[in-house]
Amino acid sequence: MSAVEAPGGVTFLGVRHHSPACARLVAATVARLRPAYVLVEGPADLNGRMDELLGDHELPIAVFTAHRDGTRRHASWSPFCAYSPEWVALTAGREVGAQLRFIDLPAWHPALSDRANRYADADQRYAEAVRRLCATLAVDNVDALWDHLFEIGPDDGLAERLDTYFDVLRGESAAGADDTAREAYMARWVRAARRRAAGRPVLVVTGGFHRPALVRLTVGPDGADRHGTGPYGTGPDGTGPDEDDWPEVPAPAPDAVAGSYLVPYSFRRLDAFVGYQSGMPSPAYYQRVWEDGPRRAAEALTEAVAARLRARRQPVSTADLIAARSMAGGLARLRGHAHPGRVDVLDGLVSALVTDALDQPLPWATRGTLAPGAHPVVVEMVAALSGDRVGRLHPDTPLPPLVHDVDAELERHRIDPHEVAELDLTVAGDLARSRLLHRLRLLDVPGHVRERGPRAGADALLTERWSPAPSADRLARVIEAGGYGPTVLDAVTARIEERVTLLGADVDALATTLFDTALAGLPEHSTRTLTAIARATGAVTDLRALGRALAVALALWRHDGLLGSAGTAPLGALITAAVRRALWLVEGVRATAAPADPGRLTALVAVRDAVRHAGPALGLDRDGALAVAGRVAADPAAPPDLRGAALGLAWSLGDVPDAARAVRAVAAPDTLGDWLSGLFALAREEVVSGHAALLTVVDELLAAMGAHDFLVALPALRQAFGWFPPRERAEVARHVQALHGGDAPPGDLLRLDADPLLVAAARAVEERVDAVLTREGLWEGDRT
């Protein structure tokens, strides 16, 4: 059934979202039919706000919908740009006096729960058919296929080609339960409009995937109306009696919070190369196709890429551009295009401008986001095609309450969006400003970025610095955050609750959330997060994650003046449980040759600090910790770094060991550095404060190593001594200087003109040369 000759007065146009060719077809069809009703795939709950949607906005814009209840939170977008067929259907329909209706289920409905974008194409549902078409036509992916079939070619016969294309694809794909529910609902709108039109034309514009099903559900082979009862007035197959009234729009559950608002959108957020789920990549290019046609768009694409590269001081000569255009024209003829398309131009530019070997496929040859490490010229080409256009809402557009509350809170706390905020957290006013900025950070609202301030697990820092960070999509982000609540406090509360629920037993991420709630001044939710961490602690098996959680809890427990949480019982209970669990996990680690693991060493540092600073108040078992340390330090099956760390733990808790003797037992080149990493991580202060015997033994062991052994040991040794801060490293250097004499400043021992690994490798080469010369009788004596 052709879109042009549909019986019964209903014309079905199956489109690809954000396709200029489909938008042109929609505009031409509206002008020809002058329909009584234009029905568009879109959220039916927005039908009463059509004037708001079609106001004097600057595109792109989107309908943002948020839904939250006791079991589910959903956020999604229905974006529109100038060449979106749905937008053109609405605007062209209004111009000819048609009644406009969205006919799809609301975006919050469970049938759309897996869609962050309503207009996400259904390519994954007919991937095999697309793959065969691409192979037959020798194109790389569905975007190139679409350009080849529809965007570059003439508009003559476009409707029939689109119908055939989508019929073929849908014919090989079974719709799931969600699509079946949506199509049954849309079909009821079509039947109601057809009866109301009383013979006048009705135009239905939906994604091409849905068109065959809607034709089947609403119009019989002879053009007769089909009817149905069941969900939303239809049966599972869309048949049965209907009423003449418009279908009922589903309402959220009574305990749910749901709402839709217009938001400014951007070309970047529309672009498939940066992760948009739907439709066409390169929105700036397709905007030019919509405005000027594909031939001029190809010329403008070359000009835009050249201008962008030159602005970034990339050499692009006139000869390069001539070569690129010549190559693009040749590729277009080879591929059967009347004039260069998007891929033709891009391939021509790459051939002329990129002389290096590419270590990854070109982004337009595959589908997905731009991969890290892409060639700089390719990155700039993709950016030029994406464009930097940002939409703007009409000033009278209704906004969610959160937008006004954010502005009011910023003004009340005297936070200027254009100025740096230097905050002293011991001052009540500055602390309140800090908490507001942290709440906005947790809501992902741009405006300021924190450059300095308290960090989890670190000593308390009493100042913060926030720098302005303007963002073109700030309003959109605030509107989207409004899905969590009408005020900053309500919204951040809901956001934290959601995060805690989603994180489950991830103690590491929960610990970060705990610190965030403290910074944001949310003590009630700090308690809830603590409860979640406490539940997870008893079963956690990741020592590193547990250590990070312990470090956060200990920092909050100790620093009352900053965060108001010192000495609280829930934190104390968590610290006690985490120390006990960490010591139990340490005894279970078995890996005799494993390299040093900074993560688990940091976990033991947190255990040490907890026993040191909170032990007496919380009744932590110091003797038990020392017993575990003794067993691990003497266990030959434990990793070298944990054995050294266990010795350091005991030392730092006051049980002075014979460290010099212990280090001789691990003097092998492949274990010495790892063992020292553990020791220095836990007891670096003890090592440098008067216990010179250990450093002397280490010096002796290193001096006795041959060049090869030293080269093996050096990387781990560098990691081990990296635990010392600069001042303590200088103390070590002074001790080494005292052992070997010399009057150079100790600091000179800490600085080399060459990489230490390179120096060690050179010494190994010299040693091998000496051995060869000696063997051949050409060298005797000491090279020094």
Side-chain angles (χ1 to χ4, degrees):
M1 182 183 303
S2 166
V4 177
E5 300 175 353
V10 181
T11 299
F12 295 86
L13 286 182
V15 300
R16 190 183 188 196
H17 307 299
H18 313 308
S19 161
C22 290
R24 291 195 303 272
L25 175 63
V26 168
T29 304
V30 170
R32 179 176 57 81
L33 294 177
R34 302 186 69 81
Y37 292 95
V38 173
L39 309 182
V40 177
E41 178 186 342
D45 56 332
L46 213 70
N47 280 329
R49 299 166 59 186
M50 202 63 73
D51 289 340
E52 176 188 337
L53 174 64
L54 298 179
D56 187 18
H57 312 295
E58 292 181 9
L59 300 180
I61 63 172
V63 178
F64 170 72
T65 301
H67 172 276
R68 179 166 48 88
D69 59 24
T71 61
R72 179 174 71 97
R73 182 185 185 276
H74 178 67
S76 66
W77 293 260
S78 302
F80 301 97
C81 58
Y83 54 85
S84 297
E86 298 81 4
W87 181 264
V88 172
L90 295 172
T91 54
R94 171 164 283 196
E95 288 176 2
V96 300
Q99 294 282 325
L100 309 177
R101 294 291 187 276
F102 282 130
I103 61 173
D104 200 358
L105 291 168
W108 54 261
H109 193 277
L112 290 108
S113 61
D114 64 341
R115 290 176 177 266
N117 284 285
R118 174 185 299 273
Y119 298 131
D121 282 335
D123 298 331
Q124 67 274 18
R125 288 173 285 191
Y126 39 69
E128 179 57 27
V130 169
R131 187 193 65 78
R132 290 202 302 271
L133 281 172
C134 289
T136 300
L137 296 174
V139 296
D140 291 320
N141 55 46
V142 67
D143 297 321
L145 174 68
W146 182 267
D147 280 356
H148 179 78
L149 293 176
F150 303 110
E151 295 298 337
I152 300 174
D155 287 347
D156 295 342
L158 178 61
E160 290 80 2
R161 298 203 308 275
L162 286 169
D163 290 350
T164 301
Y165 178 78
F166 287 119
D167 284 344
V168 168
L169 297 185
R170 179 62 183 259
E172 301 191 8
S173 306
D178 292 343
D179 282 320
T180 299
R182 294 176 61 197
E183 289 163 357
Y185 184 68
M186 288 191 281
R188 188 179 176 202
W189 280 90
V190 176
R191 290 194 297 271
R194 185 184 187 194
R195 289 191 298 275
R196 285 169 171 266
R200 292 174 295 165
V202 174
L203 176 62
V204 182
V205 178
T206 65
F209 181 83
H210 302 298
R211 179 192 170 278
L214 292 180
V215 172
R216 176 177 57 81
L217 291 171
T218 57
V219 182
D222 58 352
D225 201 356
R226 302 186 66 179
H227 305 283
T229 58
Y232 315 115
T234 63
D237 62 351
T239 62
D242 258 327
E243 299 178 359
D244 285 339
D245 292 337
W246 292 117
E248 178 184 356
V249 178
D255 63 336
V257 178
S260 296
Y261 289 92
L262 297 185
V263 298
Y265 223 59
S266 66
F267 272 0
R268 178 171 175 78
R269 297 182 74 180
L270 274 172
D271 195 346
F273 284 136
V274 294
Y276 178 55
Q277 284 187 340
S278 171
M280 318 288 278
S282 310
Y285 166 76
Y286 287 107
Q287 181 72 30
R288 293 303 297 263
V289 172
W290 169 246
E291 294 172 354
D292 303 322
R295 184 185 300 276
R296 177 60 190 136
E299 297 171 357
L301 170 55
T302 303
E303 295 166 1
V305 170
R308 191 173 184 94
L309 290 172
R310 286 168 174 166
R312 283 153 180 76
R313 302 186 182 280
Q314 293 280 347
V316 179
S317 68
T318 302
D320 291 333
L321 296 181
I322 293 173
R325 284 180 170 162
S326 297
M327 179 63 73
L331 289 171
R333 290 189 293 274
L334 182 65
R335 293 165 175 169
H337 301 158
H339 40 259
R342 182 180 67 100
V343 174
D344 301 326
V345 176
L346 291 171
D347 287 344
L349 285 165
V350 167
S351 68
L353 302 179
V354 178
T355 57
D356 308 326
L358 297 173
D359 56 3
Q360 58 182 259
L362 293 168
W364 49 89
T366 58
R367 229 184 166 213
T369 58
L370 189 63
H375 193 284
V377 172
V378 174
V379 171
E380 295 303 328
M381 290 168 63
V382 169
L385 269 70
S386 179
D388 54 7
R389 182 175 297 190
V390 178
R392 183 190 62 83
L393 299 179
H394 187 275
D396 295 335
T397 304
L399 299 173
L402 181 64
V403 175
H404 307 294
D405 190 64
V406 167
D407 293 340
E409 286 292 289
L410 290 172
E411 183 175 354
R412 184 166 70 88
H413 288 87
R414 300 190 304 280
I415 298 175
D416 190 320
H418 306 293
E419 292 183 358
V420 172
E422 294 277 2
L423 305 179
D424 181 347
L425 301 182
T426 64
V427 177
D430 281 0
L431 181 59
R433 294 183 187 94
S434 169
R435 287 175 172 174
L436 173 60
L437 290 170
H438 279 292
R439 291 173 185 181
L440 296 178
R441 173 179 63 84
L442 293 175
L443 290 172
D444 197 26
V445 171
H448 280 81
V449 173
R450 192 175 76 147
E451 296 179 342
R452 184 182 69 245
R455 293 180 296 109
D459 290 337
L461 185 62
L462 302 180
T463 60
E464 280 186 333
R465 177 186 172 90
W466 296 78
S467 293
S471 174
D473 63 349
R474 181 180 182 277
L475 177 59
R477 302 268 282 277
V478 178
I479 294 173
E480 291 161 13
Y484 285 102
T487 68
V488 174
L489 182 58
D490 291 337
V492 76
T493 296
R495 179 71 183 91
I496 292 295
E497 290 175 349
E498 177 188 77
R499 186 195 288 187
V500 171
T501 300
L502 293 176
L503 290 176
D506 186 345
V507 294
D508 191 5
L510 284 170
T512 300
T513 301
L514 175 64
F515 197 72
D516 281 338
T517 59
L519 292 172
L522 303 170
E524 178 183 352
H525 294 87
S526 295
T527 302
R528 294 181 185 178
T529 309
L530 268 173
T531 303
I533 297 175
R535 283 197 303 265
T537 297
V540 68
T541 58
D542 186 343
L543 180 60
R544 303 163 193 80
L546 182 63
R548 287 189 287 268
L550 175 58
V552 170
L554 183 62
L556 293 174
W557 187 87
R558 292 178 62 196
H559 301 312
D560 181 40
L562 176 61
L563 302 174
S565 55
T568 57
L571 277 172
L574 174 59
I575 292 168
T576 301
V579 168
R580 186 181 302 117
R581 182 72 178 179
L583 291 172
W584 182 82
L585 290 174
V586 165
E587 283 205 87
V589 180
R590 294 290 183 271
T592 56
D597 183 334
R600 64 188 178 204
L601 295 180
T602 302
L604 276 178
V605 170
V607 170
R608 177 202 68 191
D609 291 345
V611 175
R612 271 183 177 176
H613 302 297
L618 299 178
L620 297 179
D621 187 358
R622 176 181 174 278
D623 292 338
L626 288 172
V628 170
R631 290 193 295 270
V632 173
D635 185 356
D641 64 327
L642 280 187
R643 291 161 60 192
L647 186 75
L649 176 61
W651 195 354
S652 65
L653 295 180
D655 189 3
V656 180
D658 186 351
R661 179 181 178 184
V663 74
R664 293 185 186 277
V666 291
D670 57 347
T671 59
L672 177 62
D674 297 323
W675 188 89
L676 289 174
S677 280
L679 178 68
F680 294 164
L682 272 292
R684 71 170 203 273
E685 296 95 336
E686 288 74 13
V687 169
V688 298
S689 60
H691 295 83
L694 174 67
L695 295 176
T696 300
V697 172
V698 171
D699 183 75
E700 292 173 0
L701 294 173
L702 296 179
M705 286 184 182
H708 173 74
D709 287 346
F710 183 71
L711 195 59
V712 170
L714 183 57
L717 287 168
R718 294 186 70 190
Q719 183 180 20
F721 282 93
W723 285 96
F724 291 105
R727 182 175 298 180
E728 294 176 2
R729 208 173 302 163
E731 290 293 329
V732 174
R734 275 190 281 272
H735 180 75
V736 172
Q737 186 183 44
L739 291 174
H740 295 277
D743 54 2
D748 288 353
L749 297 178
L750 303 177
R751 294 183 294 271
L752 290 177
D753 294 331
D755 186 337
L757 287 172
L758 183 62
V759 174
R763 289 189 58 188
V765 171
E766 290 177 353
E767 189 174 87
R768 290 197 298 273
V769 170
D770 288 349
V772 171
L773 292 174
T774 301
R775 186 187 66 211
E776 301 299 329
L778 299 174
W779 175 260
E780 291 183 3
D782 188 346
R783 179 177 291 275
T784 58

